[in-house]
């Protein structure tokens, strides 16, 4: 029977006179880390304070920041794709569906963001000139 910590497991096996060979390497490492921490902290009060510490929270990005980043990446990918298609096949061959498939975004998104082919071509042209 394996307990919540490796130390409890080893002590339980030793009390019952059972072999400790069935303890996994993970539990042995956990036991070693527990003993090392216990020895470094010293008193029981310090040990309990150490184990009661809450994990540090990562800063969560705001939803608006995430959406802004995604929109910028999508716009850059759409502009690059439209520029490439326009250069290779000409402006008459660029369609919402073709651009969406090549970029990997939903077709509905491209239709919503750029309702006509002219706005799609204008966006690519504006983005290209903005980078120069």
């Amino acid at each position: 029977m394996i307990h919540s910590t490796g130390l409890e497991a080893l002590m339980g096996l030793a009390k019952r006179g059972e072999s400790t060979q069935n303890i996994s390497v993970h539990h042995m490492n956990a036991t070693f880390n527990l003993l090392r921490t216990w020895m470094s902290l010293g008193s029981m009060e310090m040990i309990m304070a150490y184990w009661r510490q809450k994990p540090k929270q990562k800063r969560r990005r705001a939803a608006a920041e995430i959406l802004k980043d995604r929109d910028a990446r999508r716009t850059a990918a759409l502009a690059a794709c439209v520029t490439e298609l326009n250069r290779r096949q000409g402006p008459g061959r660029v369609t919402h569906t073709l651009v969406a498939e090549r970029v990997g975004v939903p077709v509905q998104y491209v239709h919503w963001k750029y309702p006509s082919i002219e706005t799609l071509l204008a966006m690519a042209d504006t983005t290209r000139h903005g980078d120069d």
Side-chain angles (χ1 to χ4, degrees):
M1 180 173 156
I2 296 177
H3 297 275
S4 61
T5 66
L7 182 61
E8 291 174 352
L10 287 176
M11 294 184 77
L13 291 173
K15 284 180 185 176
R16 291 190 300 272
E18 297 178 24
S19 170
T20 57
Q21 292 177 351
N22 294 332
I23 300 291
S24 69
V25 173
H26 172 73
H27 283 90
M28 294 300 284
N29 286 337
T31 302
F32 176 73
N33 290 336
L34 178 69
L35 288 173
R36 186 175 55 191
T37 303
W38 191 3
M39 295 299 284
S40 69
L41 292 176
S43 71
M44 187 56 108
E45 291 83 19
M46 291 176 71
I47 293 169
M48 295 309 292
Y50 174 81
W51 289 110
R52 286 188 185 125
Q53 289 177 358
K54 295 195 179 355
K56 294 180 181 172
Q57 297 289 326
K58 287 176 38 176
R59 184 184 78 84
R60 294 186 66 164
R61 293 175 48 192
E65 183 181 344
I66 294 169
L67 293 175
K68 183 179 175 184
D69 290 346
R70 183 178 68 184
D71 189 46
R73 285 192 311 271
R74 280 182 171 178
T75 302
L78 287 168
C81 182
V82 169
T83 302
E84 181 69 20
L85 287 173
N86 194 12
R87 188 173 52 81
R88 286 184 182 220
Q89 300 177 358
R93 303 287 300 230
V94 177
T95 64
H96 288 91
T97 306
L98 184 62
V99 171
E101 286 175 357
R102 294 224 177 154
V103 173
V105 297
V107 177
Q108 295 84 1
Y109 172 78
V110 179
H111 276 289
W112 169 76
K113 187 85 173 180
Y114 309 103
S116 69
I117 295 297
E118 290 77 26
T119 57
L120 194 58
L121 292 170
M123 176 273 305
D125 192 44
T126 304
T127 305
R128 186 183 55 172
H129 288 302
D131 292 340
D132 290 344

